[in-house]
Structure formats: C-alpha cells, structure tokens
Amino acid sequence: MARTYGFDTLQIHAGARPDPATGARQTPIYQTTAYVFRDADHAAALFNLQEVGYIYSRLTNPTVAALAERIATLEGGQGAVCCSSGHAAQIMALFPLMGPGCNIVVSTRLYGGTVTQFSQSIKRFGWSAKFVDTDDLAAMETAVDDNTRAIFCESIANPGGYVTDIPALAKLADKVGVPLIVDNTSATPWLCRPIEMGATLVVHSTTKYLTGNGTVTGGAIVDSGKFDWSASGKFPSLSEPEPAYHGLKFHETFGPLAYTFHSIAVGLRDLGMTMNPQGAHYTLLGIETLSLRMERHVANAKKVAEWLEKDPRVDHVTYAGLPSSPYYDRAQKLYPKGAGALFTFAVKGGYDACVKLVDSLELFSHVANLGDTRSLIIHSASTTHRQLTAEQQEAAGAAPNVVRLSIGIEDSDDIIADLDQALSKATA
Ligand SMILES: *Cc1c(COP(=O)(O)O)cnc(C)c1O
C-alpha cells in the first residue's frame, strides 16, 4: 500500500516529478505559449475535452499545473486552478456559480479589497453580495434566499484578529444547499484546512504566505470535489449542456472534477485571468518551506502580541492567540497550531500617533502587503480600508487608531526593539 506522505513532504513533492524530457529535478519553467499537437485527431480530441493535454498557456501550462496540484494536495481538494491574483481567483471562483440576479452571502469581516470587489464591482455582472456577521447564524440563514449561490468567508479574517467558525458555516451551507467558499490566505493549509471542516471551495491569494517573500501576485481556487452541482438546478453552468462544447454537461462528464475543468475550459478560456509560468515557479519555491516559515511566523507573532499587550502605550491588541481575545477558545479548537501572524493593535493617541508610529519604524516596512518573510505594518484606515465607510472600517477591524502588523520571520527581539523605539516617538 502506498504511503500517505505528511505535510512537510507534500509541500516539496506534491505535483512535481522529474522532467520527463531532461530529468531536471526542479520543476522547469515551461516558458511557452503553445504546445505541438501529435496530429489533427489529437488536436480535435483536446479541443473537444475528450483528451486532457496542453493546448495553449491561457488554459494550462505544466509549471502552473504542478503548482495547482501541489496546492490542491495541501488543501485536501480534488483539483485546483491557479489565477493571476487573489482577486482574480475570487471572480473565477464565483463565475461557474453565478448569473445575473444571483447573490452571495458574505462575512462582514473581509480583506478591504474584497469588500470593495463584492460591494461595488461585481454589480457590473448583475451579481450582488449581502454582508452579514458570520457569528449570527440566524441572520446568515435569513440572508440566504432563492438566488443565493454561495456563502463566503475568510478562515482568519484580515485585519481584525477574527477567527471564523468554519464548521458552523459549513453546516448552514449544507442545510441551504449552496457551497461554502473560504478564503484561506492568512491561515494557509498549514494552520487550517477548510475542506476538512466542510467547505466546498478554498480560495487563496498566493501572493502572500504561499509564495512567502513578496515577489509575485497570484491566486488559486481549490475544489473539494464533494458538492452535488446537479441536485438543485441552481448551477446550470455545471449541470446543464454547455453550448460552447457541443452540449457537454460538466458535472455528468467530469464528476468530482467538474468545477475544476469548467474553471479551466470556460473560466480561463474566456476570462483569461491566467497565472504565468514564471510566477508559478516562484510560488512553487516558496511553498517548499511553507511549514517552516509558518511555524516561525506564528511563534514570533505570539511573542510580539504578548509584549504589546503589556505595554502602557498600547490601548489593546486583537490577536486570537491571546487569552484576552474573544476568539481565543475558538482558535485553540479550530487552529491548534496557532492563530496566524497577522493582528492589529490600537495605539494610545489615535490616528496621529498611528501615522507617526508607521513613519518611525526602521525594520518594519510600511506596505500594502502581508505574509512576507519581512515584518510589515500598515495603517489600514488611511490606506487599504480608505475607500470604506466609517461603519465598514469599524466592522472590518480597521478603526482610525488601529495599525495592522504582519509579523515576519526575523529575530523576535529585533522586531520588538523596533516597535519599542517607534512607540516612544509616536506617543512622545
Ligand atoms: C491579498 C488578499 C486578497 C487579494 O489577493 P491579491 O493577490 O492581492 O489579488 C484576498 N484575500 C485576502 C485575505 C488577502 O490577504
């Protein structure tokens, strides 16, 4: 019987094998747009989806395919599709499910860019989102109507130190017959595996921890392969004949791979939000050390959060890894390896002190990114969450006196010393 490898092994080996042409051990960057067909019949079979193979790199590419298989394996899914960014992955994730007039029920606690994407831009497609507090399961259920096609949340929500009760949401999604989509960017599959908790789909911004060092933008969608797309008639793109493929029915033809095949054959074909092979290469390299980095990220974050919480210049710290957090017990239960490495804290002195703090830090970089080896800071209210209303900022955990940290893997003493000197200047 084949051995089932552990996470540390899979993050290096899943999806990759020595290159059949050269024996190259590291996955080559297949820097090619197109692939030569064996003959005319081969080409026809590929275009009819009767045979799986490479046609054109907007659809599939061997380097990108290795990454998709690796991410699917680490998340425990059946298949995955890589995209050009995390935001592309979110549109791609919704595309097979939605049509004009359809809606999604989503958490109020989301990445700022996602709030904007869901509250503004998706309306152009005739889609809409209803924002609900995911801890209020009755309100969530009330929000679901006949046109709801998915429930969407983040595992550990950025930036508010909020931990989502994924098993409870998965149960609700099951009851109302729609897929649960979990953005697992800030937890990564090392801390949280949403599919094991009942999620149907997982989306990632691979820009963050999966790549891990701030080099490329990318995204991914993982399908559990477990949802019955034909049960309700709500998902005709997957259950009904597809005119562009001679009436092929994706669910009937591809079973648990229906969603993945649709995302490639229709989603990438027509939306073109494709990951490039060079980008996939960087992310493949990053993922090889995911568990090692996450372990250090989490250990450092815990030390820094504990130090900040005791500091008189700090009003409060929201980190689910601290016993003072209302989400501490939930985090211990659902994320026993740790509550991630992103958290916020409120500075005494409000908006002005936050701006001064950000400008006084030397080791920390002031950037709109997270999940880097480097420690990063951002004042959300004046940057990433600037487009939101005051109520939306508050709901997202981005009030004017709050800064968000993404703790890196440097020496924790150096991280703390930098915060110490900057807090002195900010609150002088
Ligand atoms: C960054 C981020 C996104 C968007 O990803 P991009 O790669 O920047 O498009 C979505 N969700 C979360 C939680 C993120 O951190």
Side-chain angles (χ1 to χ4, degrees), residues 342-354:
L342 286 178
F343 61 88
T344 57
F345 71 97
V347 185
K348 285 182 185 159
Y351 189 99
D352 294 341
C354 287

Side-chain angles (χ1 to χ4, degrees), residues 84-90 110-114 117 152 154 156-158 183-186 203-208 216-219 342 368-370 404:
S84 49
S85 70
H87 269 6
Q90 290 175 184
L110 294 173
Y111 175 74
T114 304
Q117 188 186 53
F152 187 100
E154 292 178 10
I156 299 179
N158 160 27
D183 179 340
N184 199 29
T185 299
S186 55
V203 293
H204 274 284
S205 167
T206 59
T207 313
K208 315 294 170 51
V216 288
T217 62
L342 286 178
N369 192 18
L370 58 94
R404 186 198 72 207

Side-chain angles (χ1 to χ4, degrees), residues 259-325:
Y259 182 93
T260 303
F261 273 58
H262 187 278
S263 294
I264 296 168
V266 182
L268 288 180
R269 184 195 65 190
D270 296 346
L271 301 179
M273 297 171 169
T274 308
M275 181 183 278
N276 68 77
Q278 186 76 235
H281 169 72
Y282 287 117
T283 306
L284 279 165
L285 293 185
I287 287 188
E288 293 188 356
T289 57
L290 179 65
S291 64
L292 307 177
R293 287 184 286 107
M294 290 310 291
E295 202 170 349
R296 176 67 73 85
H297 277 297
V298 169
N300 280 356
K302 195 156 169 286
K303 278 186 209 161
V304 176
E306 283 165 357
W307 179 82
L308 283 168
E309 189 169 53
K310 290 198 205 96
D311 195 285
R313 296 164 294 187
V314 170
D315 192 58
H316 63 267
V317 181
T318 53
Y319 180 51
L322 292 174
S324 59
S325 164

Side-chain angles (χ1 to χ4, degrees), residues 83-98 104 113-114 116-125 127 152 181 201 203-204 219-221 259 262-263 267-268 270-273:
C83 307
S84 49
S85 70
H87 269 6
Q90 290 175 184
I91 295 296
M92 282 277 298
L94 295 177
F95 181 65
L97 314 178
M98 305 288 276
I104 47 176
T114 304
T116 309
Q117 188 186 53
F118 286 174
S119 62
Q120 309 296 329
S121 295
I122 64 169
K123 286 190 204 156
R124 304 289 188 97
F125 308 141
W127 309 347
F152 187 100
I181 308 175
L201 301 168
V203 293
H204 274 284
I221 311 153
Y259 182 93
H262 187 278
S263 294
L268 288 180
D270 296 346
L271 301 179
M273 297 171 169

